[in-house]
Amino acid sequence: MRAIFFEEDDARAVAARLLADGFEASVARERLAGEDDDEGHPWAVLSDAPDFMVELLVDEYDGWLDAADDASQPPSPLPPLDLPAAPKRIKRPSGD
């Protein structure tokens, strides 16, 4: 889950809260496309906390959730199919 904040203090407060609650959390500078002002870049908090918990903190600290990061990860592979070893016989053999 990734939460975005415009203020560094808010991002660090959210990360500290998640760490105190026993989840992993890190803060990084988020580079937006087309933004050339280094001071204008928002801050991202990356965490493994449950979605609802991060949503509550985002509401409290006036940020937003970025779910696009989750969609870019490949889905977990499915187990292999159990296929037959030979073709299925529809008609009886001619010897009957």
Side-chain angles (χ1 to χ4, degrees):
M1 176 64 56
R2 187 166 79 170
I4 309 295
F5 302 92
F6 278 110
E7 300 296 327
E8 180 183 8
D9 294 340
D10 293 342
R12 297 217 181 271
V14 168
R17 172 76 181 271
L18 292 171
L19 288 169
D21 288 342
F23 300 103
E24 292 181 17
S26 63
V27 177
R29 200 70 189 251
E30 186 70 20
R31 304 275 180 204
L32 296 178
E35 183 67 48
D36 57 356
D37 180 17
D38 284 341
E39 295 301 316
H41 295 297
W43 294 86
V45 176
L46 305 170
S47 178
D48 64 345
D51 294 352
F52 71 90
M53 181 176 260
V54 178
E55 284 180 39
L56 291 174
L57 292 169
V58 162
D59 288 342
E60 182 179 341
Y61 287 94
D62 201 26
W64 77 91
L65 291 177
D66 185 17
D69 190 49
D70 296 335
S72 67
Q73 295 178 357
S76 61
L78 297 175
L81 295 175
D82 184 24
L83 299 175
K88 194 175 200 179
R89 301 231 181 242
I90 298 175
K91 298 181 180 181
R92 286 190 219 163
S94 59
D96 287 335

